[in-house]
């Protein structure tokens, strides 16, 4: 048995026409016969094919896998082309999903051959029955919906990524990120001692030739205004564990902005101190910056997002980052 859940983009289509798109090799006469014999049902009831389908309607097709694949024009093919991995799910409902992304994983593809969290998300949802690909030519490309990540983290930054499972979820999360009412807090270990909270401003300009950004004190053509707030959680002998509130969300903002203050993130080879990074690499095998998107605080929200209204979600530190911080604490106590 196969089940098709009607997507928003398919609403209003006739049942027989929708079936013809999914079972493109099946004669119309065969489809009508299957409807009459209740081998194809709509919401558990007999249908004749003239019905206009609505979002979330359930079409059940009582064929063997071999028969279905034959009429779908995909004999012997697996239904999913998405990769599978163990995702650390922090929260999930009908509209959104929060994932604790590990360092080293892309959030979204940079090249066609890349595999990113976005593909793993689709694979996870497909296995859960919460997503299916709409066949080509079923609806215009602009009307197809595909679940997606809402915020990006650098490949070597770990922590919470917000994903939209529905059109409403994707739109609402994008709106919250845009108007800055959804607060994202990061933890990072930086070089040097930071003893006082700071709120710093500046201008960030991208350098496309080296995939880097520059921090400027004055506005210039192509530069975006940025604002970063941070406070020390633990001050060690030669490093500080900071909590950072990302007020504006620009590419590489935290990494470049802290480096411009003389406190680069440990493990960051792009903006950091190579000598210090090499010392941590030799001691711990550290290959990524110690930057973690660890806390997410939602504003007050109405239905259908009341389940996350005013809630705080936290993602545990990666084991290596936690070990390094614990070692820094112990060394500080021994002094």
């Amino acid at each position: 048995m196969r089940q098709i859940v009607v997507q928003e983009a398919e609403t209003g289509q006739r049942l027989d026409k929708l079936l013809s798109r999914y079972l493109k090799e099946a004669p119309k006469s065969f489809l009508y016969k299957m409807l009459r014999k209740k081998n194809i049902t709509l919401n558990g009831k007999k249908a004749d094919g003239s019905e206009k389908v609505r979002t979330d309607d359930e079409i059940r097709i009582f064929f063997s896998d071999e028969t279905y694949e034959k009429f779908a024009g995909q004999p012997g093919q697996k239904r999913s082309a998405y990769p599978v991995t163990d995702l650390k799910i922090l929260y999930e409902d009908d509209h959104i999903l929060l994932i604790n992304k590990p360092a080293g994983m892309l959030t979204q593809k940079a090249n066609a051959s890349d595999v990113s969290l976005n593909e793993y998300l689709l694979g996870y949802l497909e296995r859960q029955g919460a997503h299916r690909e709409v066949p080509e030519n079923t609806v215009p490309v602009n009307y197809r919906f595909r679940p997606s990540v809402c915020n990006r983290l650098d490949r070597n930054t770990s922590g919470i990524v917000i994903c939209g499972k529905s059109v409403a979820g994707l739109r609402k999360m994008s709106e919250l990120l845009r108007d800055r009412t959804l607060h994202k807090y990061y933890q990072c270990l930086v070089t040097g001692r930071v003893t006082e909270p700071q709120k710093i401003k500046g201008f960030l300009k991208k350098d496309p030739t080296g995939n880097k950004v520059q921090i400027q004190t004055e506005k210039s053509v192509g530069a975006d205004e940025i604002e970063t707030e941070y406070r020390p959680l633990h001050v060690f002998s030669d490093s500080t564990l900071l909590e950072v509130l990302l007020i504006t969300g620009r590419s590489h903002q935290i990494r470049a902005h802290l480096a411009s203050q003389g406190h680069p993130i440990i493990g960051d080879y792009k903006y950091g101190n190579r000598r210090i990074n090499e010392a941590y690499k030799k001691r711990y095998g550290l290959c990524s910056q110690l930057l973690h998107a660890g806390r997410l605080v939602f504003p007050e929200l109405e239905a259908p997002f009341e389940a996350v209204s005013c809630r705080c979600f936290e993602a545990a530190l990666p084991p290596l980052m936690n070990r390094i911080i614990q070692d820094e604490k112990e060394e500080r106590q021994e002094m």
Side-chain angles (χ1 to χ4, degrees):
M1 189 272 287
R2 297 293 176 93
Q3 178 174 291
I4 297 172
V5 179
V6 175
Q7 304 293 294
E8 185 176 356
E10 298 166 325
T11 295
Q13 296 184 50
R14 278 177 59 111
L15 175 60
D16 54 1
K17 292 187 180 298
L18 186 61
L19 286 171
S20 291
R21 292 190 175 103
Y22 280 92
L23 301 169
K24 55 190 176 186
E25 302 299 327
K28 282 283 185 70
S29 59
F30 174 78
L31 293 178
Y32 290 129
K33 180 180 179 180
M34 293 298 100
L35 287 165
R36 288 196 304 272
K37 297 181 69 172
K38 293 185 68 174
N39 286 334
I40 300 176
T41 63
L42 177 63
N43 296 322
K45 299 178 180 178
K46 185 176 181 179
D48 62 20
S50 65
E51 295 83 359
K52 297 288 184 68
V53 297
R54 297 175 298 178
T55 303
D56 294 331
D57 277 353
E58 293 183 359
I59 303 167
R60 293 185 179 179
I61 303 173
F62 296 92
F63 295 176
S64 67
D65 287 346
E66 183 179 335
T67 301
Y68 183 91
E69 290 168 358
K70 172 186 173 183
F71 288 122
Q74 52 183 31
Q77 292 183 5
K78 293 183 178 179
R79 291 177 58 77
S80 177
Y82 296 116
V84 176
T85 193
D86 235 353
L87 294 177
K88 296 180 180 177
I89 309 296
L90 302 175
Y91 174 82
E92 183 176 4
D93 61 27
D94 290 340
H95 298 285
I96 69 168
L97 190 147
L98 306 179
I99 297 174
N100 185 7
K101 182 189 84 69
M105 181 185 289
L106 285 168
T107 308
Q108 291 182 314
K109 285 186 176 187
N111 301 297
S113 60
D114 290 337
V115 177
S116 71
L117 178 59
N118 225 29
E119 284 71 56
Y120 289 128
L121 166 70
L122 292 169
Y124 166 79
L125 293 177
E126 188 172 65
R127 294 195 309 277
Q128 300 296 316
H131 170 70
R132 63 178 174 79
E133 286 296 297
V134 177
E136 292 182 10
N137 303 321
T138 301
V139 292
V141 173
N142 292 344
Y143 288 91
R144 295 178 196 165
F145 171 72
R146 179 177 287 176
S148 175
V149 299
C150 302
N151 64 306
R152 291 191 183 192
L153 295 180
D154 293 336
R155 179 198 285 267
N156 289 321
T157 298
S158 58
I160 304 175
V161 175
I162 311 159
C163 307
K165 287 177 58 178
S166 67
V167 173
L170 195 59
R171 285 176 178 167
K172 189 62 178 180
M173 294 305 105
S174 298
E175 175 189 316
L176 297 179
L177 290 165
R178 189 170 55 251
D179 65 21
R180 304 175 189 172
T181 54
L182 192 157
H183 293 152
K184 297 179 292 179
Y185 293 87
Y186 294 70
Q187 287 179 297
C188 59
L189 190 66
V190 301
T191 62
R193 295 167 56 84
V194 181
T195 58
E196 299 293 334
Q198 296 284 341
K199 181 183 283 189
I200 54 176
K201 297 183 179 181
F203 298 90
L204 180 148
K205 188 171 185 177
K206 293 182 179 179
D207 177 8
T209 58
N211 189 28
K212 291 184 69 173
V213 300
Q214 298 175 347
I215 303 299
Q216 304 172 346
T217 56
E218 297 183 1
K219 177 71 173 175
S220 66
V221 177
D224 296 311
E225 187 173 1
I226 57 171
E227 188 171 358
T228 309
E229 187 174 346
Y230 58 87
R231 67 184 181 95
L233 298 177
H234 295 284
V235 183
F236 308 118
S237 55
D238 294 308
S239 63
T240 306
L241 178 64
L242 295 180
E243 179 181 72
V244 180
L245 171 60
L246 192 59
I247 299 174
T248 56
R250 305 295 183 186
S251 178
H252 297 187
Q253 178 180 323
I254 294 176
R255 297 163 61 189
H257 216 180
L258 290 175
S260 74
Q261 301 298 301
H263 299 291
I265 296 172
I266 293 171
D268 186 354
Y269 279 84
K270 186 160 287 193
Y271 301 101
N273 183 304
R274 176 169 288 274
R275 178 183 60 81
I276 293 175
N277 291 342
E278 286 296 322
Y280 277 81
K281 183 176 182 178
K282 183 177 180 180
R283 181 175 179 182
Y284 295 102
L286 182 64
C287 297
S288 60
Q289 63 259 11
L290 295 176
L291 176 61
H292 178 69
R295 185 154 61 99
L296 198 65
V297 181
F298 284 89
E300 185 174 355
L301 297 171
E302 298 178 349
F305 305 103
E306 67 274 18
V308 296
S309 179
C310 299
R311 285 186 64 181
C312 172
F313 294 90
E314 296 187 352
L317 288 170
L320 181 57
M321 184 173 179
N322 189 56
R323 177 190 164 195
I324 293 172
I325 290 169
Q326 294 308 313
D327 283 357
E328 299 282 292
K329 289 180 180 178
E330 291 175 7
E331 290 176 7
R332 174 64 176 166
Q333 290 171 356
E334 291 172 0
M335 292 182 62

